[in-house]
């Protein structure tokens, strides 16, 4: 193997690798001899077909396989010989390759820069500590109670209004013919909940216990049952009872309703949840301080390919966020309605991309130097957590990660980063600062506002016509709420290209750098 250096500038390297034709022929011969043992050809006993004949017939067909194997093997040896650590997967291009000729290919790459890891023991960090106050527990339990609404029977003369519940029997028909799924007895319907066909609940405002009413509505054109879509229906409704909402008392009964023994148990459970919230917020502040300190402690050149990839990912995230905003205002909005980020925005985020790439390389190097590993059990737990987001499809999610190396790398990346952060925090000087809950929120929100990644992208068009929300009829399934969390991009370990693939929806939560 001959390695010729074509370029060596900054972090960029270009090599031309030449593999003699004799080496390729030897590999072909070895493959032919192995195949000879089992091949069957007319006129020859099994395993006795002449190697020269097999090579003449199948030699060219073997070249593709041998090319791939040879490039993989020799490119790894070339990197080892040159002492290069590629920052991303090298770009390989075959210059010439044919039967009886030398294999010549070029390998273009950027290497991981050389830099010194700062003295981690000299890092000075602040950890916010918040004590759970009784008023926080009481307020949280009060909020829980408000979500456990009770309905009490109202007087027979009481007229139902929005927010009340009615206990009804009903039978629906279209053109005088009853239809499947259009009848129920003893159904509790909260007026104003929009769980029935548009116009249905409004017609029951003002009814009293014992009333009978024909409710006439039209099924939406988009209704899932084609035989009902767009058709007018009549529901004969009997009002058995009108119920008024009543607040749930904060007592042992509330705790038992939630599966706990008594109010004291509920208070303890709520206290634990609040402590977890405090812990997460405290770590957010602490980690930001750590990343800021590390960023200030290092300054080195980063691979251009990694920087370009990070910039592209940030711009894509900005556009996606802008599109979500437009969709919230107008479901008919299109991706092209989102304005391209301005040059000013691009310049601002270019600095963020540089910081992220540099920190990613630094954290990777710290982890590598100190043999920090992510265990298989940790990966399995992370995949299980991701699979729980897709009820009924858990097995497919597991298979997705098992079959896709990029997806597996993406699930490992945040786990690896958190372990490296934990390692650094153990070495750094961390001083605790006691603050109130309100003060901690104030500090976190100020940090959020200061982070450019939190700024709202510009919108090109305000929706001219806001499309009415489509409601499913008879019984509409409640809309699922998706908690959107902005997740700035994080670099994968330096030795591998950043993974960008995720199942169905964005899978891994990325740390804000």
């Amino acid at each position: 193997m001959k390695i010729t250096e074509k370029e060596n500038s900054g972090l960029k390297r270009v090599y031309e690798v030449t593999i003699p034709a004799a080496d390729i022929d030897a590999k072909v011969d070895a493959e032919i001899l192995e195949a000879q043992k089992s091949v069957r050809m007319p006129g020859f006993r099994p395993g006795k077909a002449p190697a020269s004949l097999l090579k003449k017939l199948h030699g060219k067909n073997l070249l593709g396989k041998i090319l791939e194997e040879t490039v993989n093997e020799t490119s790894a040896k070339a990197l080892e010989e040159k002492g290069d650590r590629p920052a991303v997967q090298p770009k390989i291009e075959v210059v010439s390759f044919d039967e009886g000729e030398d294999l010549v290919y070029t390998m273009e790459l950027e290497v991981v820069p050389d830099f010194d890891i700062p003295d981690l023991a000299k890092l000075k960090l602040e950890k916010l500590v918040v004590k759970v106050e009784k008023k926080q527990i009481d307020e949280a339990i009060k909020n829980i109670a408000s979500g456990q609404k009770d309905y009490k029977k109202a007087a027979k003369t009481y007229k139902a209004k929005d927010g009340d519940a009615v206990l009804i029997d009903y039978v629906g028909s279209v053109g005088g013919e009853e239809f499947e799924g259009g009848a129920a007895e003893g159904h509790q319907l909260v007026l104003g909940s929009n769980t029935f066909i548009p116009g249905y609940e409004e017609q029951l405002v003002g009814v009293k216990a014992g009333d009978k009413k024909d409710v006439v509505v039209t099924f939406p054109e988009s209704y899932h049952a084609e035989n009902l879509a767009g058709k007018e229906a009549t529901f004969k409704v009997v009002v058995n009872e009108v119920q008024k909402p009543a607040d749930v008392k904060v007592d042992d009964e509330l705790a038992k309703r939630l599966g706990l023994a008594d109010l004291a148990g509920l208070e303890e459970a709520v206290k634990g949840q609040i402590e977890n919230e405090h812990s997460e917020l405290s770590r957010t502040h602490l980690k930001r301080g750590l990343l800021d300190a590390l960023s200030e402690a290092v300054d080195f050149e980063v691979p251009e390919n990694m920087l370009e990839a990070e910039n592209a990912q940030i711009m894509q995230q900005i556009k996606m966020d802008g599109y979500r905003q437009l969709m919230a205002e107008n479901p008919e909005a299109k991706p092209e309605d989102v304005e391209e980020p301005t040059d000013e925005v691009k310049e601002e985020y270019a600095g963020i991309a540089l910081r992220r790439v540099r920190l990613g390389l630094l954290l990777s190097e710290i982890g590598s130097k100190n043999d920090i590993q992510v265990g298989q059990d940790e990966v399995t737990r992370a995949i299980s957590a991701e699979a729980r987001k897709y009820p009924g499809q858990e097995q497919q999610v597991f298979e997705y990660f098992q079959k896709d190396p990029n997806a597996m790398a993406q699930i490992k990346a945040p786990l690896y980063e958190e372990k490296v952060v934990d390692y650094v925090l153990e070495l750094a000087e961390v001083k605790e600062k006691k603050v109130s809950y309100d003060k901690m929120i104030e500090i976190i929100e100020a940090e959020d506002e200061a982070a450019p990644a939190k700024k709202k992208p510009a919108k090109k068009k305000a929706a001219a016509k806001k499309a009415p929300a489509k409601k499913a009829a008879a019984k509409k399934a409640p809309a699922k709420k998706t908690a959107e969390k902005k997740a700035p991009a994080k670099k994968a370990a330096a030795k591998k290209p950043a993974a960008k693939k995720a199942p169905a929806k964005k899978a891994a939560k990325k740390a804000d750098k």
Side-chain angles (χ1 to χ4, degrees), residues 333-366:
K334 299 177 181 178
E336 53 265 32
D337 293 335
V338 180
E339 188 177 55
E340 282 288 323
T342 64
D343 290 341
E344 183 181 357
V345 169
K346 289 179 180 179
E347 183 178 351
E348 182 178 27
Y349 279 93
I352 295 172
L354 174 61
R355 167 187 160 100
R356 289 184 185 171
V357 173
R358 189 173 283 149
L359 282 171
L361 289 168
L362 175 58
L363 291 175
S364 177
E365 189 71 3
I366 293 172

Side-chain angles (χ1 to χ4, degrees), residues 144-249:
I144 292 172
S146 66
Q148 298 286 320
K149 190 73 71 178
D150 273 343
Y151 288 90
K152 303 293 184 183
K153 184 177 180 180
K156 289 186 177 181
T157 56
Y158 178 81
K159 294 182 179 181
K161 60 179 185 292
D162 266 352
D164 293 338
V166 289
L167 205 62
I168 58 175
D169 301 335
Y170 60 85
V171 177
S173 60
V174 172
E177 295 289 332
E178 295 180 14
F179 55 88
E180 185 178 354
E185 294 182 356
H187 179 80
Q188 186 189 58
L189 174 62
V190 177
L191 303 184
S193 63
N194 296 323
T195 53
F196 272 24
I197 304 168
Y200 192 110
E201 294 168 27
E202 291 87 337
Q203 295 181 53
L204 294 179
V205 172
V207 299
K208 305 186 302 295
D211 282 355
K212 296 181 179 180
K213 188 176 183 69
D214 285 353
V215 174
V216 180
V217 292
T218 300
F219 281 96
E221 293 289 345
S222 59
Y223 192 61
H224 62 85
E226 293 182 4
N227 61 315
L228 300 175
K231 294 184 178 179
E232 184 180 274
T234 299
F235 289 84
K236 293 189 175 298
V237 179
V238 177
V239 182
N240 301 320
E241 190 177 291
V242 176
Q243 302 170 336
K244 298 173 67 175
D247 290 333
V248 174
K249 291 182 179 180

Side-chain angles (χ1 to χ4, degrees), residues 335-401:
E336 53 265 32
D337 293 335
V338 180
E339 188 177 55
E340 282 288 323
T342 64
D343 290 341
E344 183 181 357
V345 169
K346 289 179 180 179
E347 183 178 351
E348 182 178 27
Y349 279 93
I352 295 172
L354 174 61
R355 167 187 160 100
R356 289 184 185 171
V357 173
R358 189 173 283 149
L359 282 171
L361 289 168
L362 175 58
L363 291 175
S364 177
E365 189 71 3
I366 293 172
S368 177
K369 294 286 188 184
N370 295 283
D371 196 29
I372 295 173
Q373 304 288 337
V374 176
Q376 185 55 49
D377 57 332
E378 297 171 284
V379 175
T380 300
R381 284 197 296 271
I383 295 176
S384 295
E386 185 68 22
R388 284 194 290 272
K389 299 175 185 177
Y390 306 90
Q393 302 178 53
E394 291 85 353
Q395 185 60 38
Q396 292 94 314
V397 173
F398 267 92
E399 291 175 357
Y400 171 80
F401 283 104

Side-chain angles (χ1 to χ4, degrees), residues 279-330:
S279 179
E280 289 178 6
L281 290 173
S282 177
R283 182 176 174 85
T284 296
H285 171 74
L286 180 60
K287 183 176 178 181
R288 282 176 175 172
L290 169 61
L291 295 176
D292 286 343
L294 289 174
S295 180
E296 291 173 4
V298 294
D299 183 15
F300 54 84
E301 184 182 5
V302 303
E304 193 63 32
N305 286 343
M306 295 181 76
L307 190 58
E308 289 175 0
E310 187 64 43
N311 262 312
Q313 197 167 6
I314 290 175
M315 291 301 107
Q316 182 63 25
Q317 185 66 50
I318 290 174
K319 292 178 184 178
M320 288 175 63
D321 290 343
Y323 181 49
R324 289 192 190 100
Q325 289 178 35
L326 284 180
M327 285 289 290
E329 297 174 8
N330 176 18

